[in-house]
Amino acid sequence: HVKKWEPTSKESDYNNLTWWTEKRETGNGDPITANELNKDQDAPIRTWAEQQTNPYPHSLRIRCYANTNHDAAYLFTPKTTPVYRRPFDEDVDMAMDGEEYHMADCQVRERYERGEDDSSDDSSDDNEYQITHRHLYVVEIDVEKTVDDVTSFHEHYIMTDVPWSAIKFMEKPYTSDIFLKNAFRHEMKLPDEIFPKSWMNFSEEQKQKAKWYELW
């Protein structure tokens, strides 16, 4: 069964039918994944306007590296949405916040080609992927924040000169292949024979206790 198992077709998989699977196939019938789009550095990322007629799969979302922390202090909730416009700054926007990067859902609003003297080229020697993408982007980001940890409001960011490497496709929760209705689950087991006898030092009392926990 393990060798012969294949995913269910979208016509018979009622968890991922219609909306989620629409436009998820490439020319050869394979599903379009976030990983494939992230590796395709030759293809320009579609703008919001282009996606109205040529959308990406519904199962994907676009996120951008963007540090939306700033020094502005809010003593009260703004009556209008604050708007911040600035160019992308790799040192700020791609810096780590503890163990994670600053990332947010974003919309790609514009795309334009790099200038010949563009110093923000992704293909620097420090970039392990040697990216040669020829476009830069304008993205918009909405961020929800709070005043006094209770009242929420939104900030709007317009970021220019955003490189391809700062825009990532990600799969929405519960839409990857592991959530297919008939996705095959196979438990992993290791035979006792592969372990040295000296490692197998559970006493009979410990074995009984472990068995009791398993039954419980």
Side-chain angles (χ1 to χ4, degrees):
H1 183 73
V2 176
K3 293 180 179 180
K4 295 181 179 179
W5 181 85
E6 293 181 355
T8 303
S9 66
K10 67 179 184 181
E11 287 76 16
S12 57
D13 181 19
Y14 297 101
N15 280 357
N16 277 11
L17 189 59
T18 59
W19 200 76
W20 289 111
T21 54
E22 184 181 358
K23 299 184 183 300
R24 285 199 66 201
E25 292 183 356
T26 59
N28 59 6
D30 294 331
I32 299 173
T33 65
N35 185 51
E36 289 175 344
L37 291 172
N38 288 330
K39 291 190 299 184
D40 188 2
Q41 60 179 306
D42 294 325
I45 299 175
R46 300 170 206 158
T47 64
W48 179 86
E50 291 170 336
Q51 292 178 48
Q52 304 312 299
T53 55
N54 186 19
Y56 287 110
H58 298 302
S59 56
L60 301 180
R61 61 177 177 169
I62 300 177
R63 289 176 66 80
C64 296
Y65 288 96
N67 188 343
T68 58
N69 297 329
H70 52 78
D71 295 332
Y74 293 100
L75 302 180
F76 52 86
T77 305
K79 294 185 180 297
T80 58
T81 301
V83 177
Y84 298 89
R85 184 183 181 95
R86 64 173 177 83
F88 177 84
D89 186 335
E90 181 177 353
D91 293 335
V92 173
D93 293 308
M94 299 191 78
M96 294 194 71
D97 181 13
E99 297 182 357
E100 298 181 350
Y101 288 98
H102 299 278
M103 296 196 77
D105 289 343
C106 58
Q107 283 188 351
V108 178
R109 307 300 295 196
E110 297 179 36
R111 178 182 65 246
Y112 47 92
E113 295 207 9
R114 297 174 178 274
E116 293 183 0
D117 58 346
D118 190 348
S119 60
S120 63
D121 195 292
D122 288 343
S123 58
S124 63
D125 293 338
D126 296 334
N127 193 312
E128 70 174 297
Y129 299 107
Q130 293 297 303
I131 297 167
T132 57
H133 194 74
R134 66 183 186 276
H135 293 105
L136 292 173
Y137 299 87
V138 176
V139 303
E140 294 190 14
I141 302 170
D142 280 308
V143 180
E144 184 176 7
K145 294 190 174 182
T146 60
V147 176
D148 59 38
D149 295 328
V150 177
T151 308
S152 63
F153 65 96
H154 288 262
E155 289 180 343
H156 188 74
Y157 289 81
I158 302 173
M159 295 181 61
T160 60
D161 298 339
V162 180
W164 173 86
S165 56
I167 304 173
K168 297 297 180 185
F169 291 90
M170 295 187 177
E171 290 169 336
K172 293 179 181 178
Y174 310 112
T175 63
S176 63
D177 287 346
I178 65 172
F179 293 101
L180 287 169
K181 184 178 181 181
N182 78 326
F184 180 60
R185 305 290 191 266
H186 188 272
E187 62 180 347
M188 303 297 292
K189 292 185 176 181
L190 296 175
D192 291 342
E193 293 75 20
I194 71 171
F195 296 104
K197 291 292 183 182
S198 59
W199 290 13
M200 304 171 70
N201 56 358
F202 258 25
S203 66
E204 288 300 322
E205 181 180 351
Q206 289 173 313
K207 289 180 181 178
Q208 291 299 323
K209 187 175 181 180
K211 185 176 181 180
W212 183 86
Y213 276 118
E214 184 179 343
L215 292 174
W216 185 76

